[in-house]
């Protein structure tokens, strides 16, 4: 009997999991662990969309993710170049491995690139596509991630959602209800598993910052950082906060390049400016902050779990459950120094809650188990 037949007889699935960019790594880790625990075969593909040690390797080390079985090494480039390179490199890997499932996570260019390749090979290979973090919508088509989300969901056979509010979004796009399965938030699996190690790290203490005595800020969205005027305004707002409270600002490579290119280095003086952080370092700082100011999607969810007030520096969010059931609030739009400062003051005044005290349904550390069960059932 061939290996594939033996596996099928034993109910053992071959599942290819794709990771490309920083926000993917904390989502694939628990899925890989849960697949292994249930006796299935996981095949990990790293597209190489993010390649710096601090954007990629640090997360593999912190999260205990095994070496990828395939590294596509695509690197940076325009959206078209990056997406095309992933597609070209991924097609022969998928064709050779012939998994039962392709699992893609989140909304980055690697997500749509691999889903698109698999959708064209689906019939010949008998490989189905599952999207983890399906159904989130910002309804803002200017965001590359929104395009990636909508198209990936349309191409997928199984839509694994992090919160119940994702389901009406999918139904509104004509996706049959039975294709979507609520599994909860897999990123919180990683946070639950890593929180005590992150606390032990005590990065705030090592930086001389008191717990609850500083603000943590992150910025990397093209809408905030690719335009000199917008980036100047957002950094001006953080300067206003920094006059009241120490501001810690880990800088994404995109933001670092633009701060230099637009001559805005004076706007970040006086802040604790850091290189991109590893996973535990980031959670250690989030967990200790009085308030987090961010344009990241992941941090909106993580602060909700941690019970730390969050101010989102965007026009809208694809994670509205963090507003209604969590600690998140939107900064008034368009962003101004006064508006952001005021929102940060109000958020701080709300105070912090204990981690896990009040969280949306399914943000409980067991989403990956439910994902594996949904794959096996489908
Ligand atoms: C990507 C994702 C975004 C996610 C973000 C998290 C898409 C469309 N965007 O945006 O959803 O929130 O990752 O970080 O997929 N760079 C480095 N080293 C690296 C990676 C990137 O220097 O390891 C540079 C690139 O050369 C580029 C810039 O940073 O100049 C942006 O990288 P890119 O992967 O294009 O997109 P992100 O802005 O990181």
């Amino acid at each position: 009997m061939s290996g594939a037949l033996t596996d099928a007889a034993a109910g053992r699935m071959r599942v290819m999991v794709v990771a490309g960019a920083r926000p993917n790594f904390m989502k694939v880790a628990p899925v890989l662990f849960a697949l292994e625990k249930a006796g299935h075969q996981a095949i990990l593909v790293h597209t190489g969309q993010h390649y710096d040690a601090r954007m990629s390797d640090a997360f593999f080390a912190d999260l205990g993710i095994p070496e990828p079985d395939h590294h596509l090494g695509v690197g940076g480039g325009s959206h078209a170049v990056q997406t095309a390179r992933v597609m070209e490199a991924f097609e022969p890997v998928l064709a050779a491995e012939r998994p039962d499932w392709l699992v893609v996570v989140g909304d980055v260019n690697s997500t749509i690139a691999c889903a698109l390749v698999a959708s064209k090979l689906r019939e010949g290979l008998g490989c189905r596509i599952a999207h983890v973090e399906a159904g989130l919508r910002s309804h803002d088509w200017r965001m590359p991630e929104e395009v990636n989300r909508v198209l990936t969901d349309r191409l997928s056979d199984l839509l694994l959602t992090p919160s119940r509010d994702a389901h009406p979004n999918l139904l509104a796009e004509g996706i049959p209800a039975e294709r979507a399965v609520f599994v909860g938030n897999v990123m919180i699996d990683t946070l639950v598993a890593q929180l005590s190690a992150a606390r032990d790290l005590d990065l705030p203490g090592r930086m001389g910052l008191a717990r609850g005595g500083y603000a943590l800020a992150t910025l990397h969205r093209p809408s905030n950082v690719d335009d000199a005027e917008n980036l100047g305004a957002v950094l001006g707002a953080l300067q206003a906060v920094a006059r009241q409270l120490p501001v810690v600002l880990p800088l994404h490579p995109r933001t670092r390049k633009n701060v230099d290119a637009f001559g805005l280095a004076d706007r970040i003086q006086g802040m604790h400016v850091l290189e991109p952080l590893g996973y535990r370092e980031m959670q250690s700082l989030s967990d200790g902050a009085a308030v987090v100011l961010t344009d990241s999607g992941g941090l909106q969810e993580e602060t909700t779990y941690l019970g730390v007030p969050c101010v989102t520096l965007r026009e809208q969010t694809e994670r509205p459950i963090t507003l209604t059931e969590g600690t998140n609030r939107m900064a008034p739009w368009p962003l101004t120094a006064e508006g952001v400062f005021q929102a940060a003051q109000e958020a701080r005044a709300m105070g912090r809650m204990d981690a896990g005290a009040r969280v949306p349904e399914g943000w409980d550390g067991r989403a990956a188990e439910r994902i594996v069960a949904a794959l096996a059932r489908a």
Side-chain angles (χ1 to χ4, degrees), residues 23 49-52 55 108-109 145 220 252-254 257:
Q49 177 175 341
H50 282 176
Y51 44 87
D52 283 353
M55 299 294 284
V108 303
N109 287 339
E145 293 82 1
H220 75 283
H252 186 281
R254 174 189 283 278
K257 272 185 205 164

Side-chain angles (χ1 to χ4, degrees), residues 20-54:
R22 185 171 64 175
N24 292 161
F25 304 135
M26 60 293 272
K27 296 170 195 165
V28 301
V31 175
L32 293 169
F33 303 148
L35 283 168
E36 194 189 350
K37 194 169 164 207
H40 302 294
Q41 187 188 353
I43 306 155
L44 176 61
V45 177
H46 188 334
T47 67
Q49 177 175 341
H50 282 176
Y51 44 87
D52 283 353
R54 287 176 180 277

Side-chain angles (χ1 to χ4, degrees), residues 57-224:
D57 307 6
F59 286 78
F60 275 67
D62 266 7
L63 304 180
I65 305 174
E67 278 289 305
D69 299 284
H70 300 274
H71 200 301
L72 309 182
V74 300
S78 69
H79 284 271
V81 165
Q82 199 170 60
T83 309
R85 281 197 191 135
V86 173
M87 289 181 70
E88 215 173 344
F90 180 64
E91 186 177 49
V93 171
L94 182 69
E97 291 281 9
R98 306 179 73 92
D100 301 308
W101 282 103
L102 172 71
V103 173
V104 293
V105 303
D107 55 18
V108 303
N109 287 339
S110 300
T111 311
I112 177 63
C114 294
L116 191 48
V117 168
S119 72
K120 306 270 177 84
L121 295 181
R122 180 163 26 204
E123 289 306 313
L125 295 181
C127 164
R128 286 179 294 166
I129 307 167
H131 183 206
V132 171
E133 204 183 85
L136 299 187
R137 296 292 181 266
S138 68
H139 305 289
D140 179 355
W141 280 90
R142 293 166 302 177
M143 281 181 83
E145 293 82 1
E146 182 73 356
V147 177
N148 294 344
R149 285 180 202 118
V150 171
L151 298 182
T152 303
D153 284 341
R154 187 69 187 81
L155 295 172
S156 296
D157 301 282
L158 181 61
L159 302 167
L160 301 162
T161 66
S163 46
R164 301 260 181 211
D165 56 2
H167 292 251
N169 292 336
L170 295 169
L171 280 178
E173 290 170 16
I175 293 179
E178 59 276 13
R179 217 179 272 176
V181 177
F182 169 69
V183 291
N185 192 334
V186 76
M187 204 164 59
I188 302 303
D189 289 17
T190 297
L191 184 52
V192 169
Q194 296 285 336
L195 185 55
S196 82
R199 284 184 171 158
D200 289 347
L201 202 60
D202 189 24
L203 191 52
R206 289 198 276 143
M207 291 175 65
L209 298 165
R211 191 173 164 81
Y214 62 93
L216 172 67
T218 80
L219 283 176
H220 75 283
R221 291 278 156 216
S223 56
N224 279 334

